[in-house]
Amino acid sequence: MTEDLPNPALLPSGLTDLLPPEAAHEAALVEAMLAVFAGHGYERVKPPLLEFEDSLLAGSGHAVADQTFRLMDPDSHRMLGLRADTTPQVARIAATRLADVARPLRLSYAGQVLRIRGTQLAPERQIPQAGIELIGPDSPEADAEVALLGVEALAAIGIHGGSLDITLPTMAPALLDAAGVQGEQRLRLARALDRKDAAAVRELAAIAGPPANRLTALLTAAGPADGALAALEAAELPPAARAIADNAAAVIAAIRTRAPDLRITLDPVEFRGLQYHVGVAFTLYGPGNAGELARGGRYRSGGEAATGMTLYPDALRRAAPAAAAAPRVFIPLGTDPVAAARLRAQGFITVAALSAADTPQRLRCGHILRGQDAAPIEEIA
């Protein structure tokens, strides 16, 4: 009968155990980034894992409604939602509990989110997040501050030489709106843009006419920021689209003032990502094949302007260099606890023997307490 029981180590798809030393490494990365955020005046908040469904999915939370687990609260008999993203919760806190705090309001957070499904490239459904939200100002300088704080947080954990990819998720809709493109034609154009299918975009945009036919030139302009900005400047854009382009140029100028050597790319018609972005959006990529490490952008926090960035500690753990582990010191039975405490104050990890069967090798210790000092096992042998 017991042979039919499931393996106790088996977990649902998209969920994993994080074991030593990776769990400690990830936690250390999060704390290092939060220290960077705190140094710039971002104060930490801690939203709950569960909220009432109607408040959790209000406002920007609606964008992740299809990824949200729901359950009935046996206490209130109301539906609850398990957060799929932390940003909407921080927006709720800012609009309610911190409504009377002077703006700009700078908040930071760290925690786990759970989503109904992963993707083919990222199958994980439980995702750690650490991030910041800047609520109140609506300016290029605010967007630049958040983007550059993400860069600084990466540098603090040893990730250098990455790039900042800026997108304009409202540009394509603005051009399609100005051209009056709706219905099936709009969906087909959106799919072609999503696939980066220049030929299909050219064909569909030509049918739609101006200003939708500007999409082809803007699609092929994606790349280094200078070239993309030049293409935007040269394009004949309707007023709403021109305002988007001018704002992007101002954000990039504000970033370059503070970080002239940062590699910046710009994709004017990329619109994938969280649907609540209403201005520039940005993604931080690590060097080499490190991939996407953070994502953020401008959105509405209730009735307020806001911009934020979420960093992904699981991806950062794979990209950041592992810190050297502190030496583990074996503490024999009967040792004076004061001596062990002194070693911990010096940065050692002390592992106390609990029985005569415990040995330095069994407890994975490279040192042993001898007198008042930690002696390497090799020297003793």
Side-chain angles (χ1 to χ4, degrees):
M1 190 72 175
T2 57
E3 294 179 357
D4 297 330
L5 294 175
N7 184 338
L10 182 64
L11 296 172
S13 63
L15 302 178
T16 60
D17 293 315
L18 196 58
L19 305 178
E22 287 80 9
H25 184 204
E26 183 175 295
L29 297 179
V30 170
E31 291 306 316
M33 292 188 296
L34 288 171
V36 171
F37 302 153
H40 286 267
Y42 285 77
E43 299 175 286
R44 190 167 178 176
V45 294
K46 183 183 176 183
L49 285 170
L50 288 163
E51 289 192 29
F52 291 120
E53 178 189 33
D54 51 3
S55 62
L56 182 66
L57 303 182
S60 57
H62 179 71
V64 290
D66 63 345
Q67 282 281 45
T68 301
F69 280 94
R70 296 168 172 83
L71 65 155
M72 176 66 72
D73 180 9
D75 185 27
S76 66
H77 302 289
R78 294 175 60 185
M79 290 301 296
L80 303 178
L82 183 57
R83 68 175 178 225
D85 185 49
T86 313
T87 295
Q89 292 187 295
V90 179
R92 174 190 57 78
I93 290 172
T96 55
R97 307 291 297 277
L98 301 178
D100 296 331
V101 177
R103 271 45 175 172
L105 180 63
R106 292 177 168 90
L107 301 174
S108 67
Y109 60 87
Q112 304 281 327
V113 302
L114 189 66
R115 295 177 179 173
I116 289 177
R117 66 187 69 85
T119 66
Q120 192 169 19
L121 295 177
E124 297 85 2
R125 296 195 290 164
Q126 180 174 325
I127 305 166
Q129 294 185 336
I132 52 174
E133 310 296 339
L134 175 53
I135 298 168
D138 186 0
S139 67
E141 289 73 20
D143 292 326
E145 176 176 306
V146 168
L148 289 172
L149 194 47
V151 175
E152 183 176 339
L154 295 188
I157 59 175
I159 300 177
H160 304 275
S163 64
L164 176 67
D165 181 44
I166 296 179
T167 60
L168 310 180
T170 56
M171 176 62 78
L175 292 173
L176 296 177
D177 288 344
V181 180
Q182 299 296 333
E184 180 62 25
Q185 187 180 22
R186 189 180 183 113
L187 291 175
R188 292 173 63 192
L189 251 174
R191 285 194 293 268
L193 286 169
D194 189 41
R195 297 192 307 268
K196 304 296 185 186
D197 188 341
V201 171
R202 185 180 300 107
E203 178 183 350
L204 294 167
I207 297 172
N213 54 8
R214 310 284 188 268
L215 288 169
T216 305
L218 297 184
L219 177 66
T220 57
D226 288 340
L229 287 174
L232 284 170
E233 182 64 29
E236 295 182 14
L237 301 176
R242 173 53 60 195
I244 295 169
D246 291 346
N247 179 69
V251 171
I252 291 172
I255 292 172
R256 282 183 166 160
T257 297
R258 294 167 55 184
D261 297 328
L262 177 63
R263 184 162 64 250
I264 305 174
T265 60
L266 174 62
D267 189 337
V269 292
E270 173 64 73
F271 60 91
R272 285 179 292 180
L274 296 175
Q275 300 173 6
Y276 53 68
H277 287 143
V278 298
V280 295
F282 27 75
T283 304
L284 282 173
Y285 289 95
N289 296 320
E292 180 181 307
L293 304 180
R295 179 177 289 189
R298 179 153 292 281
Y299 66 99
R300 299 294 298 177
S301 173
E304 297 182 278
T307 187
M309 174 170 281
T310 299
L311 297 100
Y312 306 118
D314 52 349
L316 297 172
R317 173 172 44 84
R318 294 187 288 268
R328 293 167 63 92
V329 184
F330 178 74
I331 308 298
L333 284 170
T335 299
D336 180 4
V338 175
R342 186 178 299 111
L343 289 180
R344 289 193 296 273
Q346 297 171 11
F348 290 96
I349 295 172
T350 64
V351 185
L354 299 178
S355 73
D358 290 336
T359 65
Q361 294 75 16
R362 183 178 179 182
L363 298 182
R364 295 176 284 117
C365 295
H367 294 69
I368 187 171
L369 179 63
R370 283 287 183 264
Q372 300 295 314
D373 299 316
I377 299 293
E378 300 80 19
E379 292 183 5
I380 297 172

